[in-house]
Amino acid sequence: MTFRLALLGVLLSVHISANPENDLDSLRNGLQFFQYKKIDVILTQFQYGEWYNSSISISFIDTISYYITSNDQDIFVSGNQIKTWNKKSNQLIIDTRLEEEEDVFALLTGNLKGVSLQDKRNENGFTSFGFLIQDFGLKGSLKVDQSNWHLRQLKIEYDDDNWVQLDVESWQILTGNVSFYEFGKNAEEIIDLNE
């Protein structure tokens, strides 16, 4: 009888650890680790035979706000409001996106609504998954640390000739005060597409 109870316990724990819902919860927690942090990322894009590489930083202010900096432009997203500052032209564009519109960076905040994980693999200290976001027809792969589920790599495949990959290089605690309303106020030209 004791042996059967122990065997039942082992089978139950195997079922729970293989449960995709638990994987989604672990992934959500691992991604939410980046809240109030700045991460440095290598962005690689392949689009119809052309390669593009860039170092960018993403600062996650909270669950709905993040700030992306690169050499050419900075982008601040807060909820459905977007500000894009082109550093070369010193132009700020203010826009609103649709309520249901999401992007890859929203996924990085831990927003896994509609995400399904598949093909889980453990390899050299990392866990890799394929993922699918049915509502947007997006698929790709991601790699997390096995111990804490912190993201190491995210790849989104639009089609065979068009994909984007983010590789996390480092992170640090976010310091300073970053305000959506103060962002870009010194731009020479401001274009508000909401007007």
Side-chain angles (χ1 to χ4, degrees):
M1 178 69 170
T2 315
F3 175 74
R4 271 193 269 167
L5 286 175
L7 182 60
L8 180 61
V10 168
L11 291 175
L12 185 60
S13 69
V14 167
H15 173 72
I16 289 172
S17 65
N19 186 340
E21 287 301 315
N22 287 342
D23 288 341
L24 272 175
D25 288 340
S26 296
L27 179 59
R28 184 176 294 108
N29 291 335
L31 291 171
Q32 288 174 349
F33 167 79
F34 287 132
Q35 281 186 20
Y36 311 111
K37 295 183 178 69
K38 175 183 171 185
I39 60 171
D40 295 318
V41 172
I42 300 297
L43 175 103
T44 305
Q45 182 173 1
F46 180 74
Q47 190 171 25
Y48 306 113
E50 297 292 323
W51 290 90
Y52 174 77
N53 288 301
S54 178
S55 296
I56 64 173
S57 294
I58 311 164
S59 298
F60 292 102
I61 315 301
D62 53 38
T63 58
I64 62 165
S65 303
Y66 48 93
Y67 174 59
I68 305 163
T69 60
S70 69
N71 290 334
D72 299 328
Q73 67 181 0
D74 293 348
I75 302 169
F76 202 134
V77 177
S78 183
N80 291 331
Q81 298 295 309
I82 303 172
K83 288 184 176 181
T84 304
W85 175 43
N86 184 314
K87 294 178 180 178
K88 292 181 179 177
S89 65
N90 202 12
Q91 181 184 69
L92 180 72
I93 298 174
I94 303 169
D95 199 3
T96 303
R97 63 182 178 180
L98 300 173
E99 189 73 35
E100 65 278 355
E101 191 176 354
E102 298 288 350
D103 59 30
V104 63
F105 301 107
L107 182 68
L108 294 180
T109 64
N111 179 1
L112 300 179
K113 181 181 174 187
V115 173
S116 62
L117 300 176
Q118 47 204 317
D119 304 326
K120 181 178 180 180
R121 298 172 306 281
N122 293 322
E123 48 195 46
N124 299 327
F126 299 106
T127 300
S128 300
F129 292 95
F131 71 87
L132 175 66
I133 307 175
Q134 191 71 40
D135 293 347
F136 302 110
L138 287 179
K139 66 176 184 171
S141 60
L142 53 90
K143 183 187 292 186
V144 297
D145 288 323
Q146 278 181 347
S147 60
N148 54 25
W149 286 71
H150 294 172
L151 183 70
R152 296 305 296 262
Q153 183 182 82
L154 172 70
K155 182 176 182 181
I156 295 184
E157 302 162 1
Y158 299 100
D159 56 46
D160 290 340
D161 294 318
N162 190 6
W163 53 263
V164 174
Q165 181 171 302
L166 301 172
D167 290 285
V168 176
E169 295 286 299
S170 62
W171 64 268
Q172 60 187 326
I173 294 174
L174 194 58
T175 58
N177 190 10
V178 183
S179 167
F180 182 78
Y181 298 102
E182 295 292 316
F183 175 80
K185 72 176 187 177
N186 295 326
E188 289 178 9
E189 181 182 11
I190 298 176
I191 300 170
D192 191 341
L193 300 176
N194 297 318
E195 295 178 346

